[in-house]
Amino acid sequence: MEQFLIFGVVGLSTAAIYAVIGSGLVLTYTTTGVFNFAHGAAGMLSAFAYWQLAVGWGWPVPLALAAVLLVLAPAFGLLVEKVVLRPVQNLGEAERLVMTVALLSGLIAAARWIWDPNLPRPLTTFFSEREPLHLGPATITWHQALTMAVAVLVALGLWVLLNRTRTGAEMRAAVDDRALVGLTGADPVKANRVAWVLGTQLAALGGILIAPTVALDAAQPSSPC
């Protein structure tokens, strides 16, 4: 039972990170019909940007988080939607997939070009200075607790967005028939933009949460990409 609790906590915290990242991927796919192979790479790039701001340049952690999650990630999502995906939206599925694969390769190459892959870039976990929590024999760090809380909040937030807002209704409607959505006065392009912004933000959030526990390396499978 003790081993079950210990490994259960580790498993839940790791699953929470991938739930956050996966939520963004699913949101983008169900709204736009594009399976974004570069979704994880966007999270990886965000983790590098966070490291650069918080560690490389010494910004306060809250300011670095706000810059990445509220400025850089949304701007990148809008850029990808407008420049990369919108021109091929009406083409076949294969063409759209090829664009995301090309974007994946480009982001990895950009990360390796900007940040020397031979230099280690460790990140400390959030609230590492606080005493961990104890659940019987299991020890829960504040970073793990934060990760699980964020996953729950993301799930609730997406449910409210998709089921209780007009924007969410437009996003769900765009999945079934984009042309018909346009006839009702809704804007499928706006729905796409919202999906790409939120998807990129969730990828960035997941990348930042997982970066302290893995190697921050664009070329390694264990990195946030």
Side-chain angles (χ1 to χ4, degrees):
M1 187 62 181
E2 292 183 1
Q3 293 294 321
F4 175 79
L5 287 174
I6 294 172
F7 287 108
V9 168
V10 175
L12 285 175
S13 61
T14 304
I17 295 175
Y18 287 107
V20 171
I21 298 174
S23 296
L25 180 61
V26 172
L27 178 67
T28 304
Y29 176 70
T30 55
T31 303
T32 66
V34 177
F35 188 87
N36 183 17
F37 280 100
H39 184 76
M44 171 269 298
L45 199 64
S46 299
F48 272 107
Y50 170 71
W51 177 91
Q52 185 64 56
L53 296 177
V55 179
W57 294 343
W59 286 26
V61 168
L63 185 59
L65 284 173
V68 174
L69 297 178
L70 301 181
V71 179
L72 297 180
F76 180 75
L78 287 174
L79 180 67
V80 170
E81 187 278 329
K82 183 176 181 179
V83 177
V84 180
L85 273 305
R86 193 185 303 178
V88 299
Q89 183 65 48
N90 295 323
L91 299 181
E93 183 177 355
E95 287 81 0
R96 297 197 298 268
L97 290 178
V98 167
M99 291 300 294
T100 65
V101 173
L103 182 61
L104 166 66
S105 301
L107 292 180
I108 293 176
R112 290 177 60 82
W113 177 66
I114 297 172
W115 293 281
D116 186 352
N118 297 316
L119 297 178
R121 292 179 175 82
L123 274 171
T124 57
T125 58
F126 292 105
F127 306 112
S128 58
E129 72 282 357
R130 295 192 177 185
E131 287 293 325
L133 306 172
H134 296 282
L135 180 63
T139 299
I140 305 174
T141 66
W142 282 92
H143 185 88
Q144 291 173 322
L146 174 66
T147 299
M148 290 183 276
V150 166
V152 173
L153 291 176
V154 166
L156 291 175
L158 288 178
W159 184 87
V160 171
L161 170 67
L162 295 174
N163 295 278
R164 291 293 184 268
T165 67
R166 176 179 174 80
T167 300
E170 292 179 356
M171 293 169 68
R172 288 187 290 113
V175 178
D176 299 321
D177 194 323
R178 294 175 58 83
L180 184 59
V181 169
L183 294 176
T184 64
D187 187 356
V189 174
K190 174 187 173 183
N192 278 11
R193 284 199 297 262
V194 173
W196 279 104
V197 167
L198 289 178
T200 306
Q201 285 180 306
L202 291 174
L205 181 58
I208 291 171
L209 287 173
I210 200 174
T213 62
V214 299
L216 192 55
D217 186 343
Q220 293 296 327
S222 59
S223 70
C225 68

